[in-house]
Amino acid sequence: MAGLTRTMVIWVPDWPVAAAAAATGLSPDEPIAVLEKGKVLATSAAARAEGVRRGQRARDAQSRCPELVVLKYDPVIDARAYDPVVSCLEAITPGVQVIRPGMCALKARGPARFYGGEEAAAAKLLDRLETYDVPGSRIGIADGPFAAEQAARTSSPRTRMHVVPPGGSPEFLAPLRIDVLEQPELTDLLRRLGLRSLGAFARLPATEVLTRFGPGGAFAHRLARGYDDRPVTGREVPPELTRTLDFEPSVDRVDQVAFAVRAVADELIVRLTELGLVCTTLRVEVGTESGRIHEREWLHPRWFTAADVVDRVRWQLQGSGTATSELMSPVVRVRLIPDQVDPVGAHADGLWGGGPDERIHRALSRVQSMLGHGAVVSVVVGGGRGVAERQTLIPWGDPPVPARPPDQPWPGAITGTARWPVLAPTTIFPEPIPAKVFAADGSLVSVTARGDLSGVPAAFSLLPVGTTTRGPGVQVADSNKLYPITGWAGPWLTAERWWDPATENRQARFQFQTADTRAWLFALSRTTWQAQATYD
């Protein structure tokens, strides 16, 4: 078709599996499934042979293949592992556009003229990928990126390429299933209308498709007709910023490595400054004599200086060693990789400086440099039921990611909203207050596994002995002072993480009302009573 670009699409089948397997040290030949949001995103050939398919839930996939290795999908690892593959292709032909990790496109005209034809160019690219240890790649060539992608997916494992003649894209696409459009809502509606192939969809009048299905349906209709006029735009090759330091002979002391890294760190920061950039995320790779690579990604609240880079390398080495100076295995290589860089203008100080935030950051960074990475922490609130378990201590400068996701349902959580208990707490104690609950005869109240009470709660006292403040607005008196209970409700029995003996927590919760009309939320875990919140 006139106006359409001859496009070459290079596809690496099962790329998410290959990237995840390489990151975890597994072989792609094992039965592996990569999961995203609880469903199978990609599978290895061995897993497909056992009946594991994309879109299955994890439990269903494991029931079909008990030996299945389940890995979580990480888009960062996926993209990072694919970047060297793109660089490998750019070494012999420029203008590579990444469609998604595992698939890229380029204009076919240039390579075809240079290597003597489209098939010869495709064979050269496949050979290049084979030498780079990326086996099984496929190439499709057609008019437009969509038809070229489908050509790559329909190529045979033997030839590994499929060339659609110029002008032949509509005929090639016509028998394909409507699902290749990857628009679930649209394709579900089209199937219910009896349109199960791209050819059947392409025969509909374009004006009626636009009226019935909107702009998204009209775009899909153009793809089905083989009229994909999207341009192929090669990525802008970023400047080489990675710095590598090799040690010959190997070094087995942290201070020696840190001293040698200083010059490389200075060189990296100077290069970033020349480009008008600052680094906010740094990846440090430490290669040891044993063959292992210790890799970690470091974030900075502002941007990295050379001293900050040296500190991160030292902290990473101290975390992998048995002491602050000796390493478990001598270091043979250190690589500094700026994973995220920003224009320096985006982080420039104001006219009068950064104010209190800048001073706080510098002070905390200085303390962290002297005492170690984990010595300065900040609190991040995540998911959980009790206040204490919702708090995660994050070292200063690390990603503020809580240990438990806050967006998950946490039935029975103590929150400021009226879910449970019936009344929302007005004061939640940052740390639960130890207490004792007494029956009318003076004995301590206990609760059986069935929820039976040893006595009716009549009063409680707050611990420890001595007047102190253990929560906003709550004065804790000495243990001799009793708070008479005028009304109570409960127990509500909860069993948290009962499947994990190490973190299992079984509680009985109560609401007590005292003579001052305040309501209290109490919890009994085994034989320990705690006051967790109050209500006005």
Side-chain angles (χ1 to χ4, degrees):
M1 290 185 181
L4 298 185
T5 303
R6 289 291 287 176
T7 304
M8 180 181 300
V9 169
I10 300 98
W11 172 51
V12 183
D14 306 329
W15 176 257
V17 173
T24 55
L26 299 174
S27 170
D29 298 329
E30 299 182 34
I32 299 174
V34 178
L35 300 186
E36 183 181 32
K37 297 180 179 179
K39 293 186 177 181
V40 176
L41 174 67
T43 65
S44 63
R48 285 194 296 273
E50 298 294 331
V52 180
R53 295 292 181 268
R54 181 177 180 178
Q56 291 177 340
R57 295 191 177 276
R59 183 172 298 179
D60 186 21
Q62 289 174 318
S63 67
R64 296 171 182 264
C65 180
E67 299 83 13
L68 185 68
V69 179
V70 175
L71 301 176
K72 184 179 179 181
Y73 176 66
D74 188 335
V76 175
I77 292 178
D78 212 26
R80 182 187 300 163
Y82 192 60
D83 189 70
V85 178
V86 178
S87 300
C88 163
L89 295 173
E90 289 174 334
I92 61 174
T93 178
V96 179
Q97 174 184 343
V98 178
I99 299 176
R100 67 179 70 91
M103 181 177 292
C104 60
L106 53 93
K107 295 179 181 178
R109 180 182 178 183
R113 294 178 63 181
F114 186 83
Y115 292 107
E118 293 178 340
E119 293 188 4
K124 179 66 176 179
L125 292 175
L126 289 174
D127 181 66
R128 174 72 175 178
L129 291 174
E130 286 287 342
T131 59
Y132 200 73
D133 198 22
V134 185
S137 304
R138 313 279 184 88
I139 292 183
I141 305 175
D143 297 331
F146 178 72
E149 176 183 343
Q150 305 312 315
R153 292 183 180 276
T154 56
S155 60
S156 68
R158 183 178 63 83
T159 61
R160 297 171 54 197
M161 72 174 71
H162 187 170
V163 180
V164 179
S169 293
E171 182 180 355
F172 162 71
L173 294 172
L176 300 183
R177 296 181 59 184
I178 201 73
D179 302 87
V180 299
L181 292 173
E182 295 185 351
Q183 297 188 26
E185 294 183 3
L186 175 63
T187 55
D188 181 64
L189 178 57
L190 293 175
R191 278 197 300 268
R192 285 188 277 128
L193 293 175
L195 303 174
R196 302 183 180 277
S197 66
L198 294 182
F201 183 37
R203 286 192 290 270
L204 297 179
T207 55
E208 295 186 10
V209 171
L210 176 61
T211 303
R212 177 64 179 84
F213 301 107
F219 173 71
H221 186 249
R222 290 199 302 273
L223 297 183
R225 291 163 47 207
Y227 190 78
D228 184 5
D229 57 352
R230 291 176 295 174
V232 177
T233 306
R235 70 169 185 169
E236 183 178 348
V237 180
E240 180 57 43
L241 298 175
T242 301
R243 294 294 182 266
T244 303
L245 175 63
D246 294 313
F247 292 94
E248 182 62 41
S250 57
V251 178
D252 60 357
R253 291 187 60 86
V254 173
D255 53 353
Q256 294 174 333
V257 177
F259 180 80
V261 165
R262 180 62 194 235
V264 180
D266 285 332
E267 179 186 341
L268 171 62
I269 299 304
V270 169
R271 177 57 177 160
L272 289 170
T273 304
E274 292 174 349
L275 297 171
L277 302 172
V278 292
C279 177
T280 58
T281 303
L282 178 72
R283 182 155 49 94
V284 178
E285 294 181 358
V286 179
T288 62
E289 202 172 56
S290 63
R292 295 189 59 187
I293 296 179
H294 302 272
E295 178 182 342
R296 177 161 181 176
E297 188 177 85
W298 298 89
L299 272 69
H300 199 283
R302 301 191 74 204
W303 63 82
F304 283 97
T305 64
D308 294 329
V309 173
V310 175
D311 283 341
R312 269 55 176 189
V313 173
R314 185 174 69 252
W315 295 342
Q316 184 164 326
L317 292 172
Q318 290 172 346
S320 62
T322 57
T324 58
S325 59
E326 299 293 338
L327 297 173
M328 295 179 64
S329 179
V331 175
V332 297
R333 171 175 293 183
V334 174
R335 296 184 72 217
L336 306 177
I337 307 167
D339 264 1
Q340 184 173 342
V341 294
D342 295 332
V344 67
H347 296 268
D349 290 334
L351 180 61
W352 308 110
D357 290 345
E358 181 182 354
R359 292 195 296 269
I360 291 172
H361 159 69
R362 294 186 184 280
L364 294 179
S365 297
R366 178 61 179 166
V367 173
Q368 192 178 41
S369 177
M370 292 186 295
L371 301 182
H373 176 237
V376 181
V377 297
S378 57
V379 178
V380 176
V381 178
R385 293 173 175 83
V387 177
E389 67 176 313
R390 292 210 299 269
Q391 302 177 25
T392 303
L393 299 179
I394 304 296
W396 180 253
D398 280 12
V401 180
R404 300 180 180 87
D407 55 348
Q408 298 295 324
W410 295 97
I414 306 173
T415 66
T417 57
R419 292 184 182 174
W420 188 100
V422 177
L423 297 175
T426 55
T427 300
I428 302 176
F429 304 143
E431 182 181 350
I433 303 173
K436 291 183 179 181
V437 178
F438 303 96
D441 59 1
S443 62
L444 292 176
V445 176
S446 60
V447 181
T448 67
R450 290 179 170 271
D452 297 328
L453 277 68
S454 62
V456 177
F460 65 83
S461 64
L462 302 177
L463 303 177
V465 177
T467 303
T468 181
T469 301
R470 299 296 299 273
V474 178
Q475 297 294 324
V476 180
D478 57 39
S479 58
N480 294 323
K481 180 178 178 180
L482 294 179
Y483 292 77
I485 297 175
T486 59
W488 62 278
W492 293 279
L493 303 180
T494 62
E496 302 176 17
R497 296 181 296 275
W498 49 266
W499 59 88
D500 184 3
T503 59
E504 178 187 10
N505 184 23
R506 298 180 182 270
Q507 289 186 341
R509 290 182 178 174
F510 290 81
Q511 284 178 323
F512 296 147
Q513 185 176 10
T514 53
D516 58 2
T517 70
R518 276 196 301 177
W520 298 70
L521 174 62
F522 270 66
L524 174 63
S525 179
R526 295 184 174 89
T527 60
T528 303
W529 284 92
Q530 291 180 333
Q532 297 182 333
T534 62
Y535 307 79
D536 290 337

